[in-house]
Amino acid sequence: MDFLLRSRGTASSMYNQLPLAARRKALDVYRGLLKEARAFFDETTRDFITTYTKQEFRRNQHDKKILRVRRKLRNASTSLHLLQRANAHRFRDAVSVLEYGYGRKGPRKVEMLHAMAKIRPRERVFGNLREVARYRPAFYALAEKQFGTKKLVVSNGSLKSRHPLNVAKMQDRHWDHIRHRLLPPIDQSTMDIVEERASTGIIVNALLRPNATINTTTMNISPRDMEMLRQWEQRWVKFPRKSQTIRYYRALLDKGMAVMDVTVDMVPNKAKYWKAMPRRNARDGSGAVKPDLIPKKSFTFRHSPLAGKKPPSRANGIDVAG
């Protein structure tokens, strides 16, 4: 999460370097971030903010650059104010925090892209489009779905020279820009939860569902623990109204939420029949017979039917509380 990436300073690292007021402020910001994250209504985003805040504060506890620590502390305060506005159920701020939790932007987006297409944060893609489609087929299919085939190619008007090296350089820059704008897909279970909340406006923790699929090898939740979790949420979490919940999650569905399905088909090996069509049993230099059929992956993307639809009008059911 970008606004949490800036909050990497801790009070322990600034104990002997910063004045007492700065040390107190660092503790206040750290505790405030955890407190506001605990009060957020979405459990996925709540767990992500809590875990990531602890990791970043702990990872940068030995930072000795005073100016950098102070800058991170200021940015952490800005992050805290954003969470406070989101817990006050301001529309833009709540949707922005949800985007961080579901990988529409921030560090979770980078992790999801790496898990889906093996794209690292600072990876340089190939200049040739055929090489991109060959070595990163999922990345190329997702970019083609979101931006179209024409926008994946550098326009001739932006080229200062038609030299192959210059074309490859401009194509790398263009693909780097696409990588920053690309939105990763989500799994089907996450899509079902978001669609249910976008249609009903009722938020139920996934662990408290009667038909929840929980991995018993990593997590054993007894009925007593489930009841304690339910009481904990009723005490600390600030749930919005149903009409607000519908607006939040429908706006989230408009942020490129899609499920990617992968199918593997056996297709003829074009490299084998390209030059020597009659030699069906020709051997390569290693002595192995080239296969007649090779696997090829195809990708399809499914969007929610609620994406792009406006929430129901509140003219017939105005809430007196606002």
Side-chain angles (χ1 to χ4, degrees), residues 175-216:
W175 275 94
D176 190 62
H177 177 66
I178 289 176
R179 181 177 57 83
H180 286 287
R181 295 174 54 196
L182 197 66
L183 298 176
I186 60 176
D187 55 354
Q188 185 61 43
S189 60
T190 304
M191 178 66 78
D192 294 339
I193 293 175
V194 175
E195 284 183 344
E196 180 183 353
R197 296 177 181 179
S199 58
T200 62
I202 300 176
I203 300 177
V204 180
N205 196 322
L207 299 178
L208 301 178
R209 295 173 179 270
N211 56 350
T213 57
I214 303 174
N215 189 0
T216 57

Side-chain angles (χ1 to χ4, degrees), residues 69-295:
V69 169
R70 289 177 176 174
R71 184 181 69 251
K72 293 175 182 178
L73 190 57
R74 289 195 303 266
N75 295 331
S77 302
T78 304
S79 306
L80 177 59
H81 296 157
L82 176 61
L83 276 174
Q84 291 174 348
R85 294 192 300 269
N87 287 329
H89 304 314
R90 294 190 179 182
F91 178 75
R92 290 186 178 179
D93 300 316
V95 174
S96 178
V97 175
L98 283 175
E99 290 179 17
Y100 285 111
Y102 284 89
R104 303 300 92 192
K105 54 185 177 181
R108 175 160 286 187
K109 172 185 173 182
V110 177
E111 295 175 359
M112 293 173 66
L113 281 176
H114 178 68
M116 180 269 301
K118 305 301 180 183
I119 296 296
R120 294 184 294 271
R122 298 183 179 180
E123 180 176 353
R124 300 296 297 175
V125 298
F126 301 95
N128 193 345
L129 290 177
R130 289 179 296 180
E131 298 295 331
V132 175
R134 177 183 175 184
Y135 292 102
R136 296 290 184 265
F139 176 74
Y140 183 82
L142 187 61
E144 188 177 16
K145 176 65 177 179
Q146 294 186 11
F147 305 110
T149 307
K150 293 183 179 179
K151 292 187 178 180
L152 300 183
V153 185
V154 177
S155 60
N156 296 330
S158 61
L159 295 176
K160 297 181 180 180
S161 172
R162 299 296 181 87
H163 193 274
L165 293 179
N166 183 59
V167 175
K169 182 179 179 181
M170 295 299 296
Q171 186 68 58
D172 283 338
R173 290 184 179 178
H174 185 63
W175 275 94
D176 190 62
H177 177 66
I178 289 176
R179 181 177 57 83
H180 286 287
R181 295 174 54 196
L182 197 66
L183 298 176
I186 60 176
D187 55 354
Q188 185 61 43
S189 60
T190 304
M191 178 66 78
D192 294 339
I193 293 175
V194 175
E195 284 183 344
E196 180 183 353
R197 296 177 181 179
S199 58
T200 62
I202 300 176
I203 300 177
V204 180
N205 196 322
L207 299 178
L208 301 178
R209 295 173 179 270
N211 56 350
T213 57
I214 303 174
N215 189 0
T216 57
T217 60
T218 58
M219 184 182 303
N220 292 322
I221 299 181
S222 62
R224 179 183 177 183
D225 295 337
M226 294 178 64
E227 183 62 27
M228 292 178 60
L229 178 60
R230 186 180 293 106
Q231 295 178 2
W232 181 87
E233 286 190 347
Q234 292 177 357
R235 179 180 179 182
W236 297 108
V237 179
K238 301 178 181 179
F239 290 102
R241 299 189 303 270
K242 290 185 179 180
S243 59
Q244 291 178 321
T245 303
I246 293 175
R247 292 182 62 204
Y248 294 157
Y249 284 96
R250 290 203 178 184
L252 182 63
L253 287 174
D254 295 337
K255 304 297 182 179
M257 301 279 282
V259 179
M260 182 177 68
D261 297 329
V262 183
T263 57
V264 181
D265 301 326
M266 301 301 294
V267 298
N269 189 356
K270 295 182 179 180
K272 175 180 178 180
Y273 304 109
W274 182 41
K275 293 184 179 180
M277 179 67 72
R279 301 176 58 189
R280 299 182 59 87
N281 295 325
R283 296 176 178 270
D284 55 8
S286 61
V289 179
K290 294 183 179 180
D292 293 334
L293 299 176
I294 57 175

Side-chain angles (χ1 to χ4, degrees), residues 50-76:
T50 303
T51 304
Y52 194 76
T53 302
K54 292 179 180 180
Q55 289 178 354
E56 293 304 307
F57 271 82
R58 189 180 299 112
R59 186 167 66 91
N60 294 273
Q61 63 182 348
H62 301 294
D63 196 348
K64 298 181 181 179
K65 302 292 183 179
I66 299 179
L67 296 179
R68 185 167 57 192
V69 169
R70 289 177 176 174
R71 184 181 69 251
K72 293 175 182 178
L73 190 57
R74 289 195 303 266
N75 295 331

